[in-house]
Amino acid sequence: METLLERIRRLEAAGGTGGRTAEEAAWQFSGLCEGLAALDLRMATSGHRPDSSPLWADALGALIAGWRTAPRP
């Protein structure tokens, strides 16, 4: 988690977290990753193994882009 926090602190310093603290942004990022991983595991146990890499990249990119366009209230 420290590596993630370090990277998000750099993003925060550049104004890329929309006013969220690095800890808040890391929590959101980590939560999204856990959800995506759970979906991957569920699909794998059902016998479906699609390449989820593009979905991960899109979801994480959307989260980060959203931080920039939707500042924290």
Side-chain angles (χ1 to χ4, degrees), residues 1-33:
M1 184 72 148
E2 193 54 42
T3 301
L4 176 59
L5 268 172
E6 180 183 313
R7 291 179 180 193
I8 291 182
R9 282 187 185 112
R10 290 195 312 252
L11 184 63
E12 179 186 27
T17 61
R20 292 159 188 84
T21 66
E23 290 76 13
E24 291 168 333
W27 187 86
Q28 292 173 346
F29 192 93
S30 181
L32 180 59
C33 288

Side-chain angles (χ1 to χ4, degrees), residues 42-59:
R42 189 176 319 138
M43 293 298 287
T45 59
S46 70
H48 297 91
R49 295 200 69 119
D51 178 14
S52 61
S53 298
L55 297 173
W56 276 74
D58 186 49

